[in-house]
Amino acid sequence: MKETKDCLTKAVADGVRVYAAVTTNLAEEARRRHGLYHLAAAALGRTMTGALLLAANLKNDEALTVKIRGDGILGGVTADASASGYVRGYVDNPKAVLPTKNGKLDVGGGIGASGTIAVTRFTGLKEPITGQCELVSGEIGDDLTRYLYVSEQTPSSVGLGVSVAKDGHIEAAGGFFVQPLPEATEETISNLEKNVADIKSVSTMIKEGRGNTGIIENLLNGFPNVRILSTDNVTFKCQCSKRRIEDMLITLSEPDLTNLIADGKAEVNCHFCGEKYEFTLPELQAILAVKRRLREMKR
């Protein structure tokens, strides 16, 4: 049965942990909101899916940010994800175009092989924790796999896939995360590596209707005692609001706010979701008045 809802499933077998996610709808929502061309849609869909898979290891109120900065035409790709299944993101150059490579979108070329991938975890501590490593290929899944090994000393494998239709909409998106547990035997690791090497692309499996459970069945083929632990919804969701934008505008200098007032109005776009917030002349004047009151209070 084809899974139509975006969701993330966690499973374990003897010596192995597996997460699988279908993210077609949220990837399409991001594409629509940002007006992404094919290449950027594939890159952002992969990055948001990867962020959700990493965030699945966090506690309830925790979150993380994945930032990829390469030397390719896409510039940077950023995604925020929470343990509760919310994700958002953006691409620096949403309308980047490159020729296909071997008949597929050249995400690796768009990101570039030279640059860094960084993961910042917000765990409730005073300061967030950031780790990073050099890019391997720009394909994002390979880079997250390398990051987990180098920065977090966690041997794992991350597979990501996004299929973009000719008209630009997302046909299928998803990914998986597999990790041997400390008690894994050499035989377990060998079998897992074989299954990962033999598996079809994630987007192909999703288009075939296999969904999360089908992906997990392929990854854990031949493994005894497979247990599905949970399946939770995941969705594109931004934390922006007009109030938050107001707080940001208050941080501007008085001359900058005065210039906005001279224009008679202002429009601010959220980087992460593309939502537009309009501020009228009276609203801008009120923001400037608040800023001046705060300045006086500090004296």
Side-chain angles (χ1 to χ4, degrees):
M1 181 178 177
K2 187 174 181 179
E3 294 180 19
T4 56
K5 289 185 177 180
D6 289 349
C7 55
L8 188 149
T9 300
K10 299 179 181 180
V12 293
D14 289 349
V16 180
R17 173 190 294 140
V18 177
Y19 302 156
V22 172
T23 57
T24 307
N25 298 316
L26 67 86
E28 171 62 13
E29 176 72 5
R31 182 205 67 80
R32 183 187 63 79
R33 282 179 170 270
H34 292 299
L36 303 177
Y37 284 14
H38 294 60
L39 185 65
L44 183 57
R46 290 187 192 183
T47 305
M48 291 194 303
T49 303
L52 281 168
L53 290 166
L54 266 59
N57 270 325
L58 301 177
K59 296 178 181 178
N60 289 340
D61 297 328
E62 297 178 350
L64 58 77
T65 298
V66 175
K67 289 187 177 181
I68 301 172
R69 294 291 179 268
D71 60 354
I73 192 172
L74 287 169
V77 184
T78 302
D80 288 348
S82 68
S84 53
Y86 299 139
V87 68
R88 62 180 187 169
Y90 65 92
V91 184
D92 286 351
N93 187 358
K95 302 188 187 308
V97 176
L98 279 180
T100 57
K101 184 177 181 181
N102 300 322
K104 297 181 180 179
L105 291 169
D106 188 9
V107 174
I111 295 292
S114 178
T116 60
I117 180 168
V119 178
T120 301
R121 297 177 185 270
F122 302 91
T123 60
L125 299 176
K126 187 174 182 180
E127 296 294 334
I129 302 167
T130 299
Q132 72 173 40
C133 73
E134 298 297 314
L135 293 174
V136 186
S137 65
E139 293 290 340
I140 304 175
D142 296 339
D143 299 303
L144 283 172
T145 297
R146 179 66 173 169
Y147 162 80
L148 289 167
Y149 181 76
V150 172
S151 186
E152 301 191 7
Q153 291 80 51
T154 308
S156 311
S157 180
V158 178
L160 304 169
V162 176
S163 177
V164 185
K166 289 183 179 180
D167 66 2
H169 83 273
I170 305 297
E171 293 181 307
F176 64 79
F177 164 93
V178 294
Q179 181 184 73
L181 298 174
E183 66 269 23
T185 64
E186 289 298 325
E187 182 181 5
T188 293
I189 294 173
S190 177
N191 290 340
L192 185 61
E193 289 176 343
K194 182 180 183 303
N195 286 351
V196 170
D198 292 343
I199 201 169
K200 293 181 180 180
S201 73
V202 174
S203 55
T204 296
M205 286 189 286
I206 294 172
K207 284 194 289 185
E208 291 176 350
R210 296 192 64 82
N212 291 352
T213 53
I215 294 170
I216 290 171
E217 287 171 2
N218 282 7
L219 288 167
L220 298 180
N221 182 37
F223 278 76
N225 304 319
V226 177
R227 289 187 295 126
I228 301 296
L229 301 178
S230 64
T231 296
D232 298 297
N233 293 334
V234 292
T235 188
F236 185 99
K237 183 177 181 180
C238 190
Q239 294 82 29
C240 71
S241 66
K242 191 164 185 176
R243 179 59 184 271
R244 290 195 177 197
I245 301 298
E246 287 177 359
D247 292 341
M248 182 272 292
L249 289 175
I250 288 175
T251 66
L252 295 177
S253 67
E254 286 194 27
D256 286 340
L257 281 172
T258 302
N259 288 336
L260 291 177
I261 289 171
D263 291 336
K265 63 179 180 179
E267 183 179 277
V268 182
N269 291 1
C270 174
H271 277 307
F272 280 98
C273 69
E275 192 71 29
K276 295 180 180 179
Y277 295 94
E278 295 184 353
F279 291 84
T280 64
L281 177 59
E283 288 173 327
L284 292 172
Q285 291 171 330
I287 290 170
L288 179 58
V290 170
K291 185 176 182 67
R292 286 173 173 168
R293 285 200 300 271
L294 291 173
R295 183 191 63 193
E296 292 298 321
M297 291 173 61
K298 290 180 181 179
R299 287 183 175 178

